[in-house]
Amino acid sequence: MSEDMVLVPGGTATVGSTGWYAEEQPVREVPVDDLWFDVHPVTNAEFARFVADTGHVTVAEVAPDPADFPGADPALLVAGSQVFVGTAGPVPLGDWTQWWAWQPGASWRTPLGPGTHWEEVADHPVVHVAWADAAAYARWAGKELPTEAEWEHAARGGLVGRSFGWTVEYADELWPDGAVLANTWHGPFPWRSEDPDGHDRTSPVGSYPANGFGLHDMIGNVWEWTRTRWTPSHAGASEDVSPCCGGSMRLGESDRMVSKGGSHLCSPEYCQRYRPGARQGNGANDSTSHLGFRCVRRERTGR
């Protein structure tokens, strides 16, 4: 596995934001430890080594249990995952099912479904991984998933109270002086991608500049799992799932975990969640074509 990690100094992290979405409030201060962070999200090539070593089968590769989905069409209860498909033209943006589709056979091995292969995007973030898959990888690697506060602290790159984590002079601009600093959506969403770098979906990790802590892709490219349970606001402390449970505990269909950082689908006209303070809740057993993860380590020892 990759040992490309950087030390993010701890301290008092200021997490949350105002003026954007209700779930990001209130702003609060949280103590965080010094942590070694993966420089970039886990890639397909890295995940493939994990699978080769362990034989791990991801959630997306197993047909859903009918007991978890009473009344569902049996034809849909097959192994697969959610894939972004876009639309043929402009559509109202109130119904996400117009541009997402359940794709039988989609998994980390076949990111866009049958006929595609992870080796074609070996240096891109692994996707179609549920929370248990990410936690199992972390345990195998001698690491763990970060908490939401740890992740957000690292994403800010040493800045406090700013919308983005670029540099001080540009910390409140998405595209400062026209510079593209992360893989986010360009063009009219969700039907026409006009990405100046040609990244209509995920991009190779490290394609954009690192933040102040030396971390790449903390904003855009893919959403990233944390080990923090979802709450509808930052009020009060969130419950973290112990990393020691990662490879063996199956969370239920109703359990939701926090993911951070936005993805290549975040657009100024739709989802403005390409910021350190942004957050969303994903079902622990959900997998999609824009959700991945990275790991942390308390001490730089072990594997």
Side-chain angles (χ1 to χ4, degrees):
M1 77 291 299
S2 171
E3 284 300 321
D4 194 7
M5 306 186 82
V6 296
L7 181 64
V8 173
T12 300
T14 302
V15 299
S17 59
T18 59
W20 294 91
Y21 295 98
E23 69 269 15
E24 300 170 21
Q25 302 179 38
V27 174
R28 61 191 181 97
E29 293 187 341
V30 182
V32 296
D33 297 329
D34 292 353
L35 280 178
W36 290 93
F37 261 78
D38 285 348
V39 168
H40 54 69
V42 172
T43 66
N44 283 303
E46 291 166 344
F47 198 80
R49 290 196 287 274
F50 156 64
V51 171
D53 189 51
T54 65
H56 181 84
V57 178
T58 62
V59 171
E61 296 173 278
V62 179
D65 185 345
D68 291 331
F69 300 94
D73 182 351
L76 297 177
L77 296 179
V78 297
S81 189
Q82 292 281 353
V83 174
F84 174 76
V85 294
T87 60
V91 294
L93 299 180
D95 179 11
W96 62 268
T97 63
Q98 296 179 96
W99 51 87
W100 284 97
W102 174 257
Q103 176 60 62
S107 73
W108 77 272
R109 300 176 187 274
T110 53
L112 299 182
T116 63
H117 199 281
W118 71 264
E119 289 183 338
E120 299 167 349
V121 285
D123 58 350
H124 289 224
V126 66
V127 292
H128 300 302
V129 285
W131 187 88
D133 303 320
Y137 176 98
R139 190 168 67 168
W140 169 79
K143 303 177 184 179
E144 59 194 74
L145 299 179
T147 67
E148 177 179 9
E150 290 165 348
W151 194 101
E152 184 170 333
H153 172 68
R156 293 186 178 279
L159 303 181
V160 177
R162 308 301 291 268
S163 294
F164 300 98
W166 316 136
T167 60
V168 172
E169 60 268 34
Y170 296 128
D172 292 313
E173 300 177 46
L174 174 58
W175 299 318
D177 291 340
V180 178
L181 301 178
N183 182 6
T184 61
W185 185 273
H186 296 256
F189 185 85
W191 62 281
R192 189 173 72 210
S193 171
E194 299 174 351
D195 191 287
D197 299 314
H199 298 144
D200 296 332
R201 293 182 181 267
T202 58
S203 53
V205 297
S207 295
Y208 298 90
N211 71 5
F213 289 143
L215 301 173
H216 292 271
D217 297 329
M218 295 297 282
I219 300 300
N221 213 355
V222 293
W223 285 93
E224 298 184 17
W225 287 111
T226 73
R227 73 166 199 259
T228 297
R229 290 187 184 273
W230 170 256
T231 54
S233 77
H234 270 308
S238 300
E239 180 184 355
D240 297 326
V241 173
S242 171
C244 69
C245 300
S248 60
M249 183 180 65
R250 175 180 169 83
L251 296 175
E253 290 299 327
S254 62
D255 290 304
R256 300 177 74 196
M257 306 299 289
V258 173
S259 60
K260 298 284 286 182
S263 79
H264 58 281
L265 300 181
C266 283
S267 160
E269 62 187 43
Y270 174 61
C271 170
Q272 300 178 49
R273 290 183 169 88
Y274 32 53
R275 298 168 289 102
R279 60 199 299 265
Q280 70 172 3
N282 290 92
N285 294 326
D286 291 349
S287 60
T288 73
S289 62
H290 74 333
L291 176 57
F293 69 101
R294 78 179 70 209
C295 303
V296 298
R297 179 177 285 151
R298 306 285 160 185
E299 302 283 345
R300 186 141 193 195
T301 58
R303 282 180 148 185

